[in-house]
Amino acid sequence: MYTDKVMDHFQNPRNVGEIEDADGIGEVGNPTCGDMMTIYLKIEDNIIKDIKFKTFGCGAAIATSSMITEIALGKTVEEAYAISKNEVADALDGLPPIKMHCSNLAADALQAAIEDYRSKQ
């Protein structure tokens, strides 16, 4: 059902944790499935220098959280904001259609963190 990349990011998630003095924090959830994601950003000179996540949810939710942190790290704020749900799913070599909402959450959490950062500028 899941690709090898999804399983790898679920079993060995990257960038797990919190950033104490984060420049932006985005938290989103899906009340239907119960998944919750929080993304923390550290930004210097408009570049994402550090990114961490905490996710409560299914394997796909954890894998998409892990993958979006890998994709966003080192990008400009504008480049990271433009990361789409399909890019996250494609980077994981696909998700089952019933789990696509998980990649939506990852992209939404990243955008919420960037919006939080922008609101503080």
Side-chain angles (χ1 to χ4, degrees):
M1 176 169 166
Y2 290 121
T3 68
D4 289 343
K5 278 192 180 177
V6 170
M7 292 306 296
D8 180 42
H9 277 268
F10 166 61
Q11 294 172 333
N12 306 292
R14 283 66 150 179
N15 305 305
V16 176
E18 263 179 68
I19 298 174
E20 284 295 319
D21 56 344
D23 296 316
I25 301 172
E27 186 172 74
V28 298
N30 182 324
T32 305
C33 67
D35 292 346
M36 291 289 302
M37 289 181 189
T38 305
I39 290 188
Y40 304 85
L41 300 174
K42 194 68 177 163
I43 299 169
E44 294 174 25
D45 299 323
N46 202 47
I47 304 288
I48 296 176
K49 294 291 187 178
D50 195 10
I51 182 169
K52 303 268 188 238
F53 79 91
K54 290 173 92 176
T55 293
F56 175 83
C58 67
I62 292 166
T64 57
S65 299
S66 174
M67 180 54 81
I68 205 160
T69 65
E70 293 270 286
I71 296 169
L73 187 63
K75 290 199 178 335
T76 67
V77 170
E78 294 76 21
E79 290 168 337
Y81 195 84
I83 297 169
S84 72
K85 63 181 184 196
N86 288 333
E87 282 180 72
V88 178
D90 290 347
L92 289 166
D93 294 335
L95 286 170
I98 196 163
K99 293 296 183 178
M100 276 302 290
H101 69 277
C102 298
S103 64
N104 290 353
L105 275 184
D108 291 348
L110 178 58
Q111 288 179 348
I114 291 170
E115 288 167 6
D116 180 52
Y117 163 72
R118 287 176 172 164
S119 74
K120 297 173 181 175
Q121 298 309 295

